[in-house]
Amino acid sequence: MMSEADTAYIAGLFDGEGSIYFAKRIEKKKKHKGKGYRTSMSQRISMEITMTDESVVRWTHEVLGCGTVVRKPRKGLRKDGTPYLMQWKWRCTFRDAYYVCLLLWPYAHTKLPKIQQIIDHYATQKLRSGNGKVINLDEYREKKTC
């Protein structure tokens, strides 16, 4: 269980260094069999924090318990001729992003409209099990860890 201080710190970190992507759009995709393309309604939901301090990014990943951490090398040199520092990126998508949004919502300011958009999106979704149940985050997290 995350402490309130950790949650508030990550919300502030995310407000300053994070980004949220939420989009619903029609995409053109290759057909599975044969030639040609098909169109379908697609959704993209992701959250990320990118910064040069690896320890903070890894700590965020550890505390939240979801997402991935990757190196994000930068090529080239700054105007003064020094190389760019290595960047580190924590990223989560879809239902993990929903989980993180629920945690950060009480503390977020800058990213609150996008966080609310993701929460609203999942609050109206139904599970595919056919029982008409709204997504239960605890059940989702439990099944994910199995």
Side-chain angles (χ1 to χ4, degrees):
M1 185 88 182
M2 285 179 56
S3 72
E4 187 174 351
D6 286 348
T7 306
Y9 180 83
I10 291 172
L13 182 67
F14 191 77
D15 268 348
E17 301 291 331
S19 65
I20 298 178
Y21 184 70
F22 178 86
K24 289 182 183 180
R25 64 175 183 258
I26 295 176
E27 289 185 351
K28 194 161 104 171
K29 299 179 179 182
K30 273 193 134 180
K31 288 185 178 179
H32 295 288
K33 297 179 182 179
K35 301 172 190 154
Y37 293 89
R38 62 184 172 84
T39 58
S40 67
M41 181 58 89
S42 294
Q43 299 174 65
R44 300 283 179 244
I45 299 172
S46 67
M47 302 175 73
E48 63 183 53
I49 296 173
T50 303
M51 57 193 313
T52 58
D53 192 335
E54 179 185 4
S55 64
V56 173
V57 174
R58 292 207 181 273
W59 174 83
T60 301
H61 178 247
E62 182 182 313
V63 170
L64 291 173
C66 64
T68 58
V69 174
V70 294
R71 280 175 42 146
K72 188 178 173 190
R74 304 245 348 244
K75 296 179 182 169
L77 300 173
R78 294 183 181 130
K79 288 183 180 180
D80 66 1
T82 59
Y84 287 107
L85 296 174
M86 177 62 65
Q87 288 187 331
W88 296 88
K89 177 170 70 172
W90 167 83
R91 182 173 188 259
C92 71
T93 58
F94 298 103
R95 289 188 181 141
D96 283 337
Y98 173 59
Y99 162 72
V100 173
C101 284
L102 290 175
L103 291 173
L104 303 185
W105 184 85
Y107 306 99
H109 294 282
T110 307
K111 304 293 192 301
L112 190 56
K114 282 287 189 180
I115 287 172
Q116 188 65 55
Q117 197 176 20
I118 291 172
I119 291 172
D120 291 345
H121 168 74
Y122 278 105
T124 60
Q125 296 298 308
K126 305 282 184 192
L127 290 176
R128 294 181 187 248
S129 63
N131 62 6
K133 227 167 109 178
V134 174
I135 293 171
N136 180 317
L137 187 59
D138 294 329
E139 288 177 19
Y140 167 73
R141 300 289 288 172
E142 186 177 302
K143 287 178 183 175
K144 187 175 173 223
T145 58
C146 295

